[in-house]
Amino acid sequence: MTKYSRIPSLFSLSIWLLAGPVSCGSIAAWWNTRGPSLIMQDDDTGGIRYSLCNGNYTPVFPNDTTIIAPLTSHPPKKNTSLSATGWMDGETTWASIFYLDDSDEIVNTLMKCDWNTGRWENNGDYVISGGAPKVAPNTGLSVVLLGSTAGYRVFYNDLGGVLHYLGYTSDTQRWGYYGIVSNDKASSQAIGSTFITNNNNITVVRPRDGQNMGVSRWYSDHLWHIGSFPQTLTRNGSHATNATSSSDIQLNSGTAAFSLPAWDGNATSIAVGENSSDTRSVFYIGTDKKVYQVGNTNTSWSIFDRPDDKAWPQADVAGGQIGIASSANSNAMRLYYISGGNIVEANGDNQRWQDATVLPSFNASEPATSSPTTGDAIGSSDKSGSGLSDGAKAGISVGVTLGVVAISGMLAAFWFLRRRQRKLDEAAAAEGQQQPDMSPPAQPATYYSEMDSQVGSQYNGSAGGYAPQAGYAQSGYPQTGYAPTQDGYPQGVYPPQQGYSQDGWTYANYQSPQEMPDQRRPVEMMGEGHYKEAP
């Protein structure tokens, strides 16, 4: 990729100027070392729109609704939940996204970025929930990437509201059902999760009821410990776990330390992340359409102060969709939701909230004309009236005049930019093959998380609820294939990918997992752990 970027066409600029409000379904975001990435389902077409994958500090989200993720083998169902994670290798960026298809199976799609165009390319669609307890049609989804060896954990709700998880490790090179996370009740399908590298902590959060959220936390004893906030559980002291039945999980009768503002337990989405101080935070859009933050500092949950409405503008929908891209190592935290018909980014990097901005629809660093609405801070202009007053007529007259001037100016700017681009092209031709390589830098040796040593112990029967569950039945859906095999892993999981052939499908060998120099969080390389379904 060269340093000389092409100028966006006049047609593209026109489309951007005429763009209307975003048609929004589920939202998911992640941090991929270079910066944040975003996907969102268009609730009109069902397509998964995305920010350009060659972006940097701020996502570029095109207004062109035909730019969607190429999910052809297992198209996403409408109103699916979304979750995603990603990383960089020495060549480009990768994304691993999760969604439901029309059969209500969980699908994982691996995508590679075309660095020249910013478009995602499909590198395989994989059904990963086969053989697991039946997935609820409206379940939330949440994924964490633990490391190059420990792999993924994907969380979902079953038909009865029980929280389960699936996993993949590079040792097994297969997806499998890992067991129950929590039997506690939940008041909505929303799920949020985060992984803190420093202490190998996985935290999963769900709405519990009209006053509380439920928390499941992975401990070094290889158990999920169950809790809630603001009101604690009666068994907090004796550690309710994933092995505790739902009837034994009850709220404490005492007075809660605080209350969740504008919370009714029906949020369709919650966002969970962490900062460089390992403070875990839960964000949600309240019944008053405002964004709220609850944080855990020194094992204690509390309400955090809200910044002003410029930093967190009011959302369009109460309890609506919200996504988060955070990196503890980069001390970065970004929120994404719909406000004023636009996707806005709330930037909380370095634990300081800046004024929110509307996501730009093209790369503002390119030599292109700019608009005051691209990446502008969110204002609070709300004017109303009736009829057509003299002032309105005057405004129309001025608007028409300014419109003519604007069009003329745009044409002049376009001519100037074409002339400038011609000079750049001539300079590039003169340099020939001496242009610098702008691809991401090469990576050092593999990083292995301490969490890797814990993988596999879940199947030895000592995890108090993690052993694969033979004979598990759920609402008429008997589950088979969970009996542990001699190697300690459950039957019914998928075959290894590397060098594996079956029914005409051959699975290629891939590179070892690596990570970027400026990111201690472990990451995973392309294709690792994915299998292709036999037809």
Side-chain angles (χ1 to χ4, degrees), residues 288-501:
D288 56 0
K289 302 182 181 179
K290 293 182 178 181
V291 176
Y292 293 95
Q293 177 183 8
V294 188
N296 184 289
T297 305
N298 298 324
T299 72
S300 178
W301 291 95
S302 62
I303 289 289
F304 283 23
D305 292 336
R306 292 186 75 256
D308 59 30
D309 288 340
K310 290 183 179 180
W312 288 359
Q314 188 176 76
D316 287 356
V317 178
Q321 288 288 320
I322 185 169
I324 186 170
S326 66
S327 169
N329 297 321
S330 300
N331 207 9
M333 184 169 289
R334 313 287 180 86
L335 301 178
Y336 301 95
Y337 60 97
I338 305 300
S339 176
N342 298 303
I343 305 176
V344 298
E345 178 186 68
N347 186 327
D349 292 356
N350 300 311
Q351 303 178 43
R352 293 189 299 271
W353 291 99
Q354 307 170 26
D355 288 356
T357 59
V358 174
L359 286 188
S361 58
F362 67 93
N363 191 345
S365 66
E366 292 180 347
T369 55
S370 61
S371 166
T373 61
T374 302
D376 280 359
I378 307 299
S380 56
S381 176
D382 184 12
K383 301 179 181 179
S384 61
S386 60
L388 193 61
S389 65
D390 292 339
K393 294 176 182 177
I396 291 174
S397 176
V398 172
V400 170
T401 302
L402 291 177
V404 172
V405 173
I407 292 173
S408 301
M410 185 173 66
L411 292 174
F414 182 68
W415 174 85
F416 171 77
L417 291 172
R418 285 191 61 186
R419 184 169 177 268
R420 179 181 178 183
Q421 183 65 44
R422 188 179 300 113
K423 292 182 178 181
L424 291 175
D425 290 342
E426 292 172 355
E431 288 186 19
Q433 299 300 320
Q434 300 302 316
Q435 296 175 11
D437 181 9
M438 297 299 289
S439 60
Q443 304 170 69
T446 302
Y447 175 90
Y448 292 96
S449 167
E450 294 178 6
M451 191 64 149
D452 298 344
S453 63
Q454 302 176 11
V455 176
S457 63
Q458 303 166 12
Y459 297 109
N460 62 14
S462 64
Y466 284 93
Q469 302 169 19
Y472 181 91
Q474 172 198 64
S475 303
Y477 295 89
Q479 306 298 326
T480 59
Y482 295 123
T485 60
Q486 292 182 351
D487 62 1
Y489 294 93
Q491 298 172 356
V493 294
Y494 296 97
Q497 182 178 12
Q498 293 186 341
Y500 185 86
S501 297

Side-chain angles (χ1 to χ4, degrees), residues 37 47 60 88 136 169 174 194 202 218-219 225 233 236 264 302 343 360 368 380 395 402 452 503:
S37 293
V60 175
M88 295 189 68
T169 73
R174 64 186 75 186
T194 191
I202 307 175
W218 173 266
Y219 272 60
H225 289 237
L233 299 178
N236 266 6
D264 63 0
S302 62
I343 305 176
S380 56
L402 291 177
D452 298 344
D503 298 333

Side-chain angles (χ1 to χ4, degrees), residues 141-388:
L141 294 174
S142 190
V143 61
V144 292
L145 180 58
L146 306 182
S148 57
T149 301
Y152 302 102
R153 301 296 181 270
V154 177
F155 304 94
Y156 74 95
N157 297 316
D158 71 11
L159 296 173
V162 177
L163 180 62
H164 300 263
Y165 74 133
L166 308 168
Y168 162 82
T169 73
S170 61
D171 289 338
T172 62
Q173 302 203 359
R174 64 186 75 186
W175 282 96
Y177 171 62
Y178 273 31
I180 293 174
V181 175
S182 175
N183 288 301
D184 197 10
K185 62 186 291 187
S187 55
S188 88
Q189 294 287 344
I191 305 173
S193 64
T194 191
F195 172 58
I196 299 178
T197 310
N198 293 343
N199 57 14
N200 293 322
N201 171 257
I202 307 175
T203 298
V204 187
V205 181
R206 297 192 297 172
R208 188 182 191 279
D209 53 45
Q211 293 79 40
N212 301 284
M213 295 191 191
V215 183
S216 303
R217 186 176 179 184
W218 173 266
Y219 272 60
S220 57
D221 60 3
H222 299 181
L223 290 173
W224 290 99
H225 289 237
I226 312 302
S228 72
F229 64 84
Q231 188 63 278
T232 59
L233 299 178
T234 56
R235 294 196 58 174
N236 266 6
S238 56
H239 302 301
T241 71
N242 53 303
T244 306
S245 66
S246 58
S247 60
D248 290 332
I249 302 176
Q250 302 292 331
L251 289 173
N252 195 310
S253 60
T255 302
F258 62 96
S259 60
L260 298 175
W263 174 259
D264 63 0
N266 296 319
T268 60
S269 176
I270 55 177
V272 184
E274 80 284 349
N275 61 23
S276 59
S277 301
D278 291 342
T279 296
R280 292 165 289 158
S281 290
V282 181
F283 298 87
Y284 66 92
I285 297 174
T287 56
D288 56 0
K289 302 182 181 179
K290 293 182 178 181
V291 176
Y292 293 95
Q293 177 183 8
V294 188
N296 184 289
T297 305
N298 298 324
T299 72
S300 178
W301 291 95
S302 62
I303 289 289
F304 283 23
D305 292 336
R306 292 186 75 256
D308 59 30
D309 288 340
K310 290 183 179 180
W312 288 359
Q314 188 176 76
D316 287 356
V317 178
Q321 288 288 320
I322 185 169
I324 186 170
S326 66
S327 169
N329 297 321
S330 300
N331 207 9
M333 184 169 289
R334 313 287 180 86
L335 301 178
Y336 301 95
Y337 60 97
I338 305 300
S339 176
N342 298 303
I343 305 176
V344 298
E345 178 186 68
N347 186 327
D349 292 356
N350 300 311
Q351 303 178 43
R352 293 189 299 271
W353 291 99
Q354 307 170 26
D355 288 356
T357 59
V358 174
L359 286 188
S361 58
F362 67 93
N363 191 345
S365 66
E366 292 180 347
T369 55
S370 61
S371 166
T373 61
T374 302
D376 280 359
I378 307 299
S380 56
S381 176
D382 184 12
K383 301 179 181 179
S384 61
S386 60
L388 193 61

